[in-house]
Amino acid sequence: MRPPEDDTVLDVRDLQMRYGSTDVLTGVTFAARRGEVLGLLGPNGAGKTTTIEILEGFRMRSAGEVSVLGIDPAQGDEAWRARLGVVLQSWRDHGKWRVRELLAHLGTYYTPYATGGARGPWDPDELVSAVGLTEHAHKRVGRLSGGQRRRLDVAIGIVGRPELLFLDEPTVGFDPEARREFHDLVHRLSDDEDTTILLTTHDLDEAEKLADRIVILAGGAIIADGSADELSRRMSTEAEIKWTRDGQRFVHSTLDSTKFVHDLFRQYGEAIGDLEVRRASLEDTYVAMVREHEAGRGTAAVRKFEGATR
């Protein structure tokens, strides 16, 4: 396998996975740099979970090359695993532990000596504060609310100050304030800690806010890779323009918002007020791309069937 670039944390080339006669991944290729937040999106059954399990070293691939922190996950040892952080949708029960006590205990497994030079754990008090659990630091885990338990899940995932963090639906059960605090934490991890983050979520608004780059997986293959803005421009999705004139409210959709606004002001000038241009959201773009992919796959299947019956 070729060694990755110095700042390349994830390097996936032609990843394939087959279960029996079913192809789950059919040639997935992408990469992620140090400090980058990468959103992995896709409908249910697209192959996201299989991809992540391969990257984490929990599942063997059928074919392709994979490098995670410069190591093939299939050969990763304990020191390599200590450089990873994983936040699953749920953890096993730690109900009898107290929050700070649990995090301090887990941190003892991440000393540089034990992990072969990993960055070492968070200070438990700092970590409790970072995930918004200061007031609950001495409470038993079993007495936390659902949202508080989810914050603890995140704390457990990052206790070792990982170089690469896998976040699977991390804000399920968060209230709006907790969600904002978590977003701030993600930015802190990527910007200040230089942590690479692979985020999977069905909350596309969250993905748009957090991810530097979006990879969309559908039917076992990557159908899009780029920033939210790049993907939106690629799909040529219509923008919605709202404005007022002479006390009336107008709404118009167009593919070329710049030209439309220019023409609008050239015709009506200062009579235009309350102008608002809303470009397609990531959700709009995502839905359009998946539908286009599924329609194309359906067309290909029909052509294949027709060819077989001739």
Side-chain angles (χ1 to χ4, degrees):
M1 178 183 295
R2 293 183 293 272
E5 301 290 338
D6 289 344
D7 66 343
T8 300
V9 172
L10 287 175
D11 191 13
V12 181
R13 302 169 190 255
D14 194 29
L15 176 60
Q16 300 173 44
M17 188 67 195
R18 168 173 285 192
Y19 297 117
S21 60
T22 302
D23 290 317
V24 178
L25 300 174
T26 59
V28 169
T29 298
F30 67 91
R33 303 184 309 276
R34 191 169 305 281
E36 184 175 26
V37 181
L38 179 66
L40 181 62
L41 309 181
N44 291 333
K48 301 189 301 298
T49 298
T50 297
T51 299
I52 292 173
E53 288 178 347
I54 291 171
L55 298 181
E56 294 171 342
F58 295 137
R59 189 175 298 277
M60 292 293 294
R61 62 190 182 272
S62 299
E65 298 181 1
V66 179
S67 172
V68 177
L69 294 170
I71 302 293
D72 184 335
Q75 302 171 6
D77 57 14
E78 289 303 313
W80 172 79
R81 290 186 185 281
R83 300 166 66 193
L84 308 180
V86 180
V87 178
L88 302 174
Q89 292 190 36
S90 63
W91 287 91
R92 68 177 183 175
D93 186 26
H94 299 292
K96 295 182 180 181
W97 287 84
R98 299 184 188 276
V99 170
R100 187 196 180 282
E101 180 184 46
L102 173 63
L103 296 176
H105 172 71
L106 293 175
T108 63
Y109 292 98
Y110 291 93
T111 63
Y113 173 79
T115 61
R119 291 189 282 188
W122 281 68
D123 174 82
D125 293 316
E126 185 182 3
L127 181 54
V128 165
S129 175
V131 297
L133 287 174
T134 300
E135 295 181 3
H136 310 283
H138 301 289
K139 184 182 292 186
R140 292 192 185 278
V141 173
R143 301 188 64 183
L144 298 178
S145 70
Q148 292 161 0
R149 282 293 299 267
R150 195 60 186 144
R151 294 189 194 199
L152 180 60
D153 289 344
V154 174
I156 292 172
I158 66 175
V159 66
R161 219 179 219 104
E163 297 173 53
L164 171 61
L165 177 62
F166 295 93
L167 295 177
D168 186 10
E169 301 285 347
T171 58
V172 172
F174 277 26
D175 59 36
E177 181 179 359
R179 191 180 300 270
R180 284 194 298 271
E181 291 174 352
F182 174 75
H183 291 176
D184 290 341
L185 175 60
V186 168
H187 290 307
R188 176 182 176 184
L189 290 171
S190 61
D191 295 339
D192 299 341
E193 299 282 324
D194 221 16
T195 304
T196 302
I197 298 173
L198 182 60
L199 168 72
T200 59
T201 179
H202 286 95
D203 185 339
L204 299 183
D205 180 59
E206 177 171 82
E208 188 166 15
K209 290 177 180 177
L210 292 180
D212 300 306
R213 215 171 85 246
I214 302 291
V215 170
I216 299 178
L217 191 63
I222 289 178
I223 62 172
D225 184 345
S227 69
D229 284 343
E230 289 170 345
L231 300 186
S232 178
R233 288 195 296 270
R234 190 181 308 171
M235 285 302 294
S236 299
T237 310
E238 290 186 339
E240 183 179 73
I241 302 172
K242 300 180 180 179
W243 72 97
T244 59
R245 179 171 59 85
D246 299 332
Q248 297 185 54
R249 186 71 171 165
F250 298 89
V251 180
H252 181 77
S253 295
T254 178
L255 291 173
D256 192 343
S257 58
T258 302
K259 180 178 184 303
F260 183 85
V261 170
H262 177 77
D263 292 343
L264 194 64
F265 274 98
R266 184 174 59 184
Q267 184 173 0
Y268 297 107
E270 295 182 358
I272 299 297
D274 300 321
L275 179 68
E276 178 184 347
V277 179
R278 178 187 174 275
R279 294 187 60 183
S281 67
L282 177 60
E283 181 174 358
D284 298 329
T285 304
Y286 168 83
V287 170
M289 285 186 165
V290 171
R291 285 178 176 172
E292 182 179 85
H293 169 78
E294 290 178 345
R297 186 171 59 178
T299 300
V302 169
R303 289 174 178 167
K304 181 177 180 180
F305 173 77
E306 290 176 342
T309 56
R310 285 175 183 168

